[in-house]
Amino acid sequence: MPEEPLPLHDTETATDNSDRQGDSTRLLRAALHEVSTVIVGQNQMVERCLITLIANGHCLLEGVPGIAKTLAVSTLAKVTGGSFTRLQFTPDLVPSDIVGTRVYHPSTEQFNVELGPVFVNFVLADEINRAPAKVQSSLLEVMAEKQVSLGGNTYQLPHPFVVIAAQNPVESEGVYPLPEAQRDRFLMKITVPHPQAHEEMEILRRMSADPPTAHRILDPVTLRELQQDAQKVHVHQLIADYIVRLVMATREPGNYGVPDLTHVVEIGASPRATLGLVAAARALALIRGRDYVLPDDVHQLAHDIMGHRLILTFDALADGITPHHVIDQILATVPPPRVIWDTPATATTVN
């Protein structure tokens, strides 16, 4: 059901909503600034991780070792006040190492449930592609349902809960690539580059002696409120239509002006991409200080949300075509709406 439009005469309610939205934006920007006191550069990665958290999703980071992926996630966890654990995935890992198991205690002659390390707010699954399929699949229920089933009982994970996984793209020995079904569980996949020369110099200056530490800005209760605030950000019907057209262009390119992609994309983006674009665009708009989504918000997030959900044909891969090229062509062809924002009393929103 559409949200109830804001009455024009209710100026007090409008002012309260505006103040609340302003407070949320200030908190989010303060959190980003606090992380930047430790992390040099990588602004996009940090912002995308925060968007993932506010959008109540999960994130996949891909980059070579030593570019502050682990430090960024642990710093973000400290700034947001959440509990944090790092899981180093290795080929000999078993599912019980992640989610927990039942342990027999001779003194009581009973089995007790020992919960695993995933029962925290932030889980960093480091080098997730090094773990075998059974361990990777053990995360599916954790990520999708945010619960763990052990010994016939179901245990809820703390809220908020986010999995930020990291994988190394340059090594292929002893690696188990993530299956398509599990990649689809991640709201975003972010490619993390090397720092620029001036950023490298700042890293040397800042980290060579007495590295800085971040301070807590948020807490889990405030995070839940920020997630609720993001869900109230208005999505115009034209923006929703634009999102649907972008996703449908990956499935039926011939019907959306990109027939050249018919023999390039084997399987297009799933409905999770549609929902993810709406949720992430709302979070980005909140960080930008707006209570409505713009086409540019969707445009900025399209690569991160749709790229890892595309499966290209063998011929496309042989020709060196990447999902990034496909999304570039779709964004250039599918026209964004020219939105003329209505008054709050007549604006159409998407829940």
Side-chain angles (χ1 to χ4, degrees), residues 139-175:
L139 285 178
L140 288 179
E141 182 186 13
V142 173
M143 295 171 60
E145 308 298 336
K146 300 187 177 179
Q147 65 182 27
V148 171
S149 299
L150 289 173
N153 295 318
T154 300
Y155 301 89
Q156 298 295 325
L157 291 161
H159 186 73
F161 174 77
V162 59
V163 173
I164 301 181
Q167 63 179 8
N168 185 349
V170 297
E171 295 181 5
S172 58
E173 185 176 351
V175 169

mmCIF file of all heavy atoms in Angstrom, residues 139-175:
data_model
loop_
_atom_site.group_PDB
_atom_site.id
_atom_site.type_symbol
_atom_site.label_atom_id
_atom_site.label_comp_id
_atom_site.label_asym_id
_atom_site.label_seq_id
_atom_site.Cartn_x
_atom_site.Cartn_y
_atom_site.Cartn_z
ATOM 1 N N LEU A 139 26.269 -20.307 5.254
ATOM 2 C CA LEU A 139 25.964 -18.892 5.416
ATOM 3 C C LEU A 139 24.630 -18.492 4.788
ATOM 4 O O LEU A 139 24.140 -17.394 5.039
ATOM 5 C CB LEU A 139 27.074 -18.034 4.803
ATOM 6 C CG LEU A 139 28.389 -17.931 5.565
ATOM 7 C CD1 LEU A 139 29.377 -17.081 4.783
ATOM 8 C CD2 LEU A 139 28.180 -17.347 6.945
ATOM 9 N N LEU A 140 24.062 -19.368 3.949
ATOM 10 C CA LEU A 140 22.850 -18.990 3.231
ATOM 11 C C LEU A 140 21.697 -18.695 4.180
ATOM 12 O O LEU A 140 21.022 -17.670 4.068
ATOM 13 C CB LEU A 140 22.451 -20.089 2.245
ATOM 14 C CG LEU A 140 23.340 -20.229 1.011
ATOM 15 C CD1 LEU A 140 22.861 -21.370 0.132
ATOM 16 C CD2 LEU A 140 23.384 -18.940 0.220
ATOM 17 N N GLU A 141 21.447 -19.593 5.137
ATOM 18 C CA GLU A 141 20.371 -19.346 6.095
ATOM 19 C C GLU A 141 20.700 -18.148 6.968
ATOM 20 O O GLU A 141 19.835 -17.340 7.297
ATOM 21 C CB GLU A 141 20.135 -20.578 6.975
ATOM 22 C CG GLU A 141 18.986 -20.379 7.965
ATOM 23 C CD GLU A 141 18.829 -21.531 8.942
ATOM 24 O OE1 GLU A 141 19.761 -22.366 9.027
ATOM 25 O OE2 GLU A 141 17.783 -21.601 9.612
ATOM 26 N N VAL A 142 21.976 -18.012 7.329
ATOM 27 C CA VAL A 142 22.394 -16.885 8.159
ATOM 28 C C VAL A 142 22.113 -15.566 7.450
ATOM 29 O O VAL A 142 21.570 -14.619 8.031
ATOM 30 C CB VAL A 142 23.891 -17.012 8.503
ATOM 31 C CG1 VAL A 142 24.381 -15.773 9.225
ATOM 32 C CG2 VAL A 142 24.131 -18.248 9.362
ATOM 33 N N MET A 143 22.455 -15.478 6.162
ATOM 34 C CA MET A 143 22.300 -14.245 5.417
ATOM 35 C C MET A 143 20.853 -13.978 5.025
ATOM 36 O O MET A 143 20.395 -12.836 5.066
ATOM 37 C CB MET A 143 23.186 -14.275 4.175
ATOM 38 C CG MET A 143 24.675 -14.319 4.473
ATOM 39 S SD MET A 143 25.698 -14.618 3.008
ATOM 40 C CE MET A 143 25.260 -13.226 1.998
ATOM 41 N N ALA A 144 20.136 -15.024 4.631
ATOM 42 C CA ALA A 144 18.781 -14.823 4.122
ATOM 43 C C ALA A 144 17.760 -14.692 5.245
ATOM 44 O O ALA A 144 16.909 -13.794 5.234
ATOM 45 C CB ALA A 144 18.395 -15.972 3.197
ATOM 46 N N GLU A 145 17.827 -15.579 6.224
ATOM 47 C CA GLU A 145 16.817 -15.616 7.286
ATOM 48 C C GLU A 145 17.294 -14.970 8.579
ATOM 49 O O GLU A 145 16.482 -14.749 9.485
ATOM 50 C CB GLU A 145 16.408 -17.075 7.565
ATOM 51 C CG GLU A 145 16.001 -17.865 6.333
ATOM 52 C CD GLU A 145 14.787 -17.284 5.650
ATOM 53 O OE1 GLU A 145 13.997 -16.592 6.325
ATOM 54 O OE2 GLU A 145 14.623 -17.511 4.434
ATOM 55 N N LYS A 146 18.609 -14.736 8.686
ATOM 56 C CA LYS A 146 19.200 -14.148 9.894
ATOM 57 C C LYS A 146 18.859 -14.976 11.132
ATOM 58 O O LYS A 146 18.422 -14.467 12.160
ATOM 59 C CB LYS A 146 18.765 -12.691 10.057
ATOM 60 C CG LYS A 146 19.207 -11.835 8.871
ATOM 61 C CD LYS A 146 18.961 -10.371 9.061
ATOM 62 C CE LYS A 146 19.497 -9.597 7.854
ATOM 63 N NZ LYS A 146 19.278 -8.152 7.940
ATOM 64 N N GLN A 147 19.041 -16.268 10.949
ATOM 65 C CA GLN A 147 18.820 -17.224 12.027
ATOM 66 C C GLN A 147 19.684 -18.447 11.768
ATOM 67 O O GLN A 147 20.204 -18.649 10.669
ATOM 68 C CB GLN A 147 17.351 -17.631 12.109
ATOM 69 C CG GLN A 147 16.863 -18.383 10.878
ATOM 70 C CD GLN A 147 15.396 -18.736 10.944
ATOM 71 O OE1 GLN A 147 14.621 -18.061 11.609
ATOM 72 N NE2 GLN A 147 14.997 -19.788 10.264
ATOM 73 N N VAL A 148 19.852 -19.276 12.813
ATOM 74 C CA VAL A 148 20.620 -20.513 12.727
ATOM 75 C C VAL A 148 19.791 -21.626 13.343
ATOM 76 O O VAL A 148 19.207 -21.455 14.416
ATOM 77 C CB VAL A 148 21.980 -20.379 13.454
ATOM 78 C CG1 VAL A 148 22.669 -21.736 13.549
ATOM 79 C CG2 VAL A 148 22.873 -19.379 12.741
ATOM 80 N N SER A 149 19.728 -22.757 12.654
ATOM 81 C CA SER A 149 19.001 -23.926 13.159
ATOM 82 C C SER A 149 20.004 -24.958 13.647
ATOM 83 O O SER A 149 20.853 -25.434 12.886
ATOM 84 C CB SER A 149 18.125 -24.530 12.050
ATOM 85 O OG SER A 149 17.160 -23.594 11.611
ATOM 86 N N LEU A 150 19.907 -25.295 14.948
ATOM 87 C CA LEU A 150 20.801 -26.277 15.571
ATOM 88 C C LEU A 150 19.999 -27.176 16.487
ATOM 89 O O LEU A 150 19.233 -26.680 17.325
ATOM 90 C CB LEU A 150 21.909 -25.582 16.372
ATOM 91 C CG LEU A 150 23.012 -24.843 15.593
ATOM 92 C CD1 LEU A 150 23.900 -24.082 16.567
ATOM 93 C CD2 LEU A 150 23.828 -25.824 14.783
ATOM 94 N N GLY A 151 20.188 -28.484 16.328
ATOM 95 C CA GLY A 151 19.545 -29.423 17.229
ATOM 96 C C GLY A 151 18.037 -29.291 17.279
ATOM 97 O O GLY A 151 17.437 -29.489 18.338
ATOM 98 N N GLY A 152 17.411 -28.966 16.170
ATOM 99 C CA GLY A 152 15.961 -28.835 16.127
ATOM 100 C C GLY A 152 15.431 -27.516 16.647
ATOM 101 O O GLY A 152 14.222 -27.308 16.673
ATOM 102 N N ASN A 153 16.307 -26.612 17.051
ATOM 103 C CA ASN A 153 15.892 -25.297 17.541
ATOM 104 C C ASN A 153 16.434 -24.203 16.625
ATOM 105 O O ASN A 153 17.450 -24.377 15.960
ATOM 106 C CB ASN A 153 16.400 -25.064 18.970
ATOM 107 C CG ASN A 153 15.779 -26.034 19.966
ATOM 108 O OD1 ASN A 153 14.589 -26.312 19.907
ATOM 109 N ND2 ASN A 153 16.599 -26.555 20.872
ATOM 110 N N THR A 154 15.730 -23.087 16.613
ATOM 111 C CA THR A 154 16.120 -21.948 15.791
ATOM 112 C C THR A 154 16.572 -20.811 16.695
ATOM 113 O O THR A 154 15.884 -20.462 17.658
ATOM 114 C CB THR A 154 14.953 -21.476 14.907
ATOM 115 O OG1 THR A 154 14.557 -22.551 14.043
ATOM 116 C CG2 THR A 154 15.364 -20.280 14.058
ATOM 117 N N TYR A 155 17.723 -20.242 16.373
ATOM 118 C CA TYR A 155 18.302 -19.178 17.185
ATOM 119 C C TYR A 155 18.424 -17.928 16.315
ATOM 120 O O TYR A 155 19.046 -17.959 15.242
ATOM 121 C CB TYR A 155 19.676 -19.594 17.724
ATOM 122 C CG TYR A 155 19.630 -20.849 18.572
ATOM 123 C CD1 TYR A 155 19.778 -22.110 17.988
ATOM 124 C CD2 TYR A 155 19.430 -20.769 19.940
ATOM 125 C CE1 TYR A 155 19.725 -23.258 18.756
ATOM 126 C CE2 TYR A 155 19.381 -21.914 20.718
ATOM 127 C CZ TYR A 155 19.521 -23.152 20.123
ATOM 128 O OH TYR A 155 19.461 -24.287 20.893
ATOM 129 N N GLN A 156 17.818 -16.839 16.769
ATOM 130 C CA GLN A 156 17.834 -15.598 16.015
ATOM 131 C C GLN A 156 19.163 -14.869 16.215
ATOM 132 O O GLN A 156 19.715 -14.829 17.315
ATOM 133 C CB GLN A 156 16.678 -14.689 16.453
ATOM 134 C CG GLN A 156 15.292 -15.280 16.206
ATOM 135 C CD GLN A 156 14.996 -15.448 14.732
ATOM 136 O OE1 GLN A 156 15.416 -14.647 13.909
ATOM 137 N NE2 GLN A 156 14.250 -16.498 14.402
ATOM 138 N N LEU A 157 19.649 -14.294 15.139
ATOM 139 C CA LEU A 157 20.876 -13.505 15.204
ATOM 140 C C LEU A 157 20.562 -12.111 15.730
ATOM 141 O O LEU A 157 19.424 -11.652 15.665
ATOM 142 C CB LEU A 157 21.494 -13.407 13.812
ATOM 143 C CG LEU A 157 22.068 -14.728 13.286
ATOM 144 C CD1 LEU A 157 22.217 -14.678 11.783
ATOM 145 C CD2 LEU A 157 23.406 -15.013 13.938
ATOM 146 N N PRO A 158 21.546 -11.426 16.284
ATOM 147 C CA PRO A 158 21.304 -10.071 16.797
ATOM 148 C C PRO A 158 20.944 -9.121 15.666
ATOM 149 O O PRO A 158 21.260 -9.360 14.498
ATOM 150 C CB PRO A 158 22.639 -9.682 17.460
ATOM 151 C CG PRO A 158 23.652 -10.557 16.802
ATOM 152 C CD PRO A 158 22.957 -11.838 16.491
ATOM 153 N N HIS A 159 20.265 -8.057 16.028
ATOM 154 C CA HIS A 159 19.863 -7.051 15.050
ATOM 155 C C HIS A 159 20.422 -5.695 15.471
ATOM 156 O O HIS A 159 20.311 -5.340 16.647
ATOM 157 C CB HIS A 159 18.335 -6.984 14.959
ATOM 158 C CG HIS A 159 17.846 -6.088 13.873
ATOM 159 N ND1 HIS A 159 17.922 -6.434 12.543
ATOM 160 C CD2 HIS A 159 17.274 -4.857 13.914
ATOM 161 C CE1 HIS A 159 17.421 -5.449 11.814
ATOM 162 N NE2 HIS A 159 17.021 -4.487 12.616
ATOM 163 N N PRO A 160 21.054 -4.986 14.560
ATOM 164 C CA PRO A 160 21.256 -5.299 13.141
ATOM 165 C C PRO A 160 22.334 -6.349 12.922
ATOM 166 O O PRO A 160 23.192 -6.571 13.776
ATOM 167 C CB PRO A 160 21.683 -3.952 12.557
ATOM 168 C CG PRO A 160 22.338 -3.249 13.706
ATOM 169 C CD PRO A 160 21.593 -3.667 14.937
ATOM 170 N N PHE A 161 22.279 -6.979 11.749
ATOM 171 C CA PHE A 161 23.230 -8.031 11.408
ATOM 172 C C PHE A 161 23.640 -7.863 9.953
ATOM 173 O O PHE A 161 22.788 -7.689 9.078
ATOM 174 C CB PHE A 161 22.612 -9.420 11.611
ATOM 175 C CG PHE A 161 23.490 -10.552 11.148
ATOM 176 C CD1 PHE A 161 24.561 -10.955 11.911
ATOM 177 C CD2 PHE A 161 23.247 -11.188 9.942
ATOM 178 C CE1 PHE A 161 25.380 -11.995 11.487
ATOM 179 C CE2 PHE A 161 24.051 -12.226 9.512
ATOM 180 C CZ PHE A 161 25.124 -12.629 10.284
ATOM 181 N N VAL A 162 24.943 -7.889 9.701
ATOM 182 C CA VAL A 162 25.436 -7.747 8.338
ATOM 183 C C VAL A 162 26.652 -8.637 8.148
ATOM 184 O O VAL A 162 27.507 -8.750 9.029
ATOM 185 C CB VAL A 162 25.785 -6.268 8.025
ATOM 186 C CG1 VAL A 162 26.844 -5.737 8.971
ATOM 187 C CG2 VAL A 162 26.238 -6.107 6.581
ATOM 188 N N VAL A 163 26.684 -9.315 7.008
ATOM 189 C CA VAL A 163 27.850 -10.104 6.593
ATOM 190 C C VAL A 163 28.578 -9.317 5.518
ATOM 191 O O VAL A 163 27.986 -8.957 4.491
ATOM 192 C CB VAL A 163 27.442 -11.486 6.055
ATOM 193 C CG1 VAL A 163 28.662 -12.210 5.473
ATOM 194 C CG2 VAL A 163 26.808 -12.323 7.149
ATOM 195 N N ILE A 164 29.846 -9.023 5.755
ATOM 196 C CA ILE A 164 30.694 -8.390 4.755
ATOM 197 C C ILE A 164 31.791 -9.386 4.421
ATOM 198 O O ILE A 164 32.661 -9.663 5.244
ATOM 199 C CB ILE A 164 31.284 -7.061 5.249
ATOM 200 C CG1 ILE A 164 30.153 -6.090 5.604
ATOM 201 C CG2 ILE A 164 32.184 -6.447 4.192
ATOM 202 C CD1 ILE A 164 30.622 -4.740 6.083
ATOM 203 N N ALA A 165 31.699 -9.954 3.233
ATOM 204 C CA ALA A 165 32.647 -10.977 2.802
ATOM 205 C C ALA A 165 33.706 -10.356 1.907
ATOM 206 O O ALA A 165 33.437 -9.399 1.169
ATOM 207 C CB ALA A 165 31.921 -12.102 2.061
ATOM 208 N N ALA A 166 34.909 -10.897 1.967
ATOM 209 C CA ALA A 166 36.013 -10.423 1.134
ATOM 210 C C ALA A 166 36.581 -11.602 0.362
ATOM 211 O O ALA A 166 36.666 -12.718 0.885
ATOM 212 C CB ALA A 166 37.093 -9.776 1.998
ATOM 213 N N GLN A 167 36.941 -11.343 -0.884
ATOM 214 C CA GLN A 167 37.586 -12.381 -1.675
ATOM 215 C C GLN A 167 38.713 -11.786 -2.501
ATOM 216 O O GLN A 167 38.685 -10.616 -2.876
ATOM 217 C CB GLN A 167 36.580 -13.108 -2.573
ATOM 218 C CG GLN A 167 35.908 -12.259 -3.628
ATOM 219 C CD GLN A 167 34.947 -13.068 -4.479
ATOM 220 O OE1 GLN A 167 34.680 -14.240 -4.190
ATOM 221 N NE2 GLN A 167 34.411 -12.474 -5.518
ATOM 222 N N ASN A 168 39.713 -12.630 -2.770
ATOM 223 C CA ASN A 168 40.910 -12.225 -3.498
ATOM 224 C C ASN A 168 40.755 -12.649 -4.955
ATOM 225 O O ASN A 168 40.611 -13.833 -5.245
ATOM 226 C CB ASN A 168 42.133 -12.888 -2.876
ATOM 227 C CG ASN A 168 43.436 -12.423 -3.486
ATOM 228 O OD1 ASN A 168 43.452 -11.751 -4.508
ATOM 229 N ND2 ASN A 168 44.541 -12.798 -2.854
ATOM 230 N N PRO A 169 40.775 -11.704 -5.908
ATOM 231 C CA PRO A 169 40.525 -12.065 -7.308
ATOM 232 C C PRO A 169 41.746 -12.563 -8.072
ATOM 233 O O PRO A 169 41.611 -12.993 -9.215
ATOM 234 C CB PRO A 169 40.044 -10.735 -7.906
ATOM 235 C CG PRO A 169 40.797 -9.710 -7.139
ATOM 236 C CD PRO A 169 40.956 -10.256 -5.734
ATOM 237 N N VAL A 170 42.940 -12.503 -7.484
ATOM 238 C CA VAL A 170 44.155 -12.774 -8.254
ATOM 239 C C VAL A 170 44.673 -14.196 -8.073
ATOM 240 O O VAL A 170 45.548 -14.624 -8.814
ATOM 241 C CB VAL A 170 45.269 -11.777 -7.878
ATOM 242 C CG1 VAL A 170 44.848 -10.367 -8.224
ATOM 243 C CG2 VAL A 170 45.641 -11.882 -6.412
ATOM 244 N N GLU A 171 44.172 -14.949 -7.106
ATOM 245 C CA GLU A 171 44.641 -16.308 -6.889
ATOM 246 C C GLU A 171 43.547 -17.291 -7.272
ATOM 247 O O GLU A 171 42.373 -17.090 -6.957
ATOM 248 C CB GLU A 171 45.038 -16.517 -5.426
ATOM 249 C CG GLU A 171 46.243 -15.668 -4.996
ATOM 250 C CD GLU A 171 46.622 -15.923 -3.553
ATOM 251 O OE1 GLU A 171 46.011 -16.821 -2.936
ATOM 252 O OE2 GLU A 171 47.515 -15.240 -3.043
ATOM 253 N N SER A 172 43.930 -18.364 -7.939
ATOM 254 C CA SER A 172 42.969 -19.380 -8.346
ATOM 255 C C SER A 172 43.244 -20.743 -7.730
ATOM 256 O O SER A 172 42.416 -21.642 -7.801
ATOM 257 C CB SER A 172 42.962 -19.521 -9.884
ATOM 258 O OG SER A 172 44.258 -19.857 -10.354
ATOM 259 N N GLU A 173 44.410 -20.922 -7.106
ATOM 260 C CA GLU A 173 44.754 -22.210 -6.518
ATOM 261 C C GLU A 173 44.093 -22.350 -5.154
ATOM 262 O O GLU A 173 44.189 -21.468 -4.298
ATOM 263 C CB GLU A 173 46.271 -22.322 -6.370
ATOM 264 C CG GLU A 173 46.731 -23.693 -5.871
ATOM 265 C CD GLU A 173 48.247 -23.807 -5.830
ATOM 266 O OE1 GLU A 173 48.913 -22.904 -6.348
ATOM 267 O OE2 GLU A 173 48.728 -24.801 -5.280
ATOM 268 N N GLY A 174 43.405 -23.465 -4.940
ATOM 269 C CA GLY A 174 42.732 -23.703 -3.673
ATOM 270 C C GLY A 174 41.557 -22.788 -3.424
ATOM 271 O O GLY A 174 41.263 -22.450 -2.275
ATOM 272 N N VAL A 175 40.865 -22.380 -4.483
ATOM 273 C CA VAL A 175 39.756 -21.437 -4.357
ATOM 274 C C VAL A 175 38.472 -22.103 -4.832
ATOM 275 O O VAL A 175 38.472 -22.833 -5.826
ATOM 276 C CB VAL A 175 40.041 -20.153 -5.181
ATOM 277 C CG1 VAL A 175 38.801 -19.296 -5.287
ATOM 278 C CG2 VAL A 175 41.171 -19.366 -4.546
#
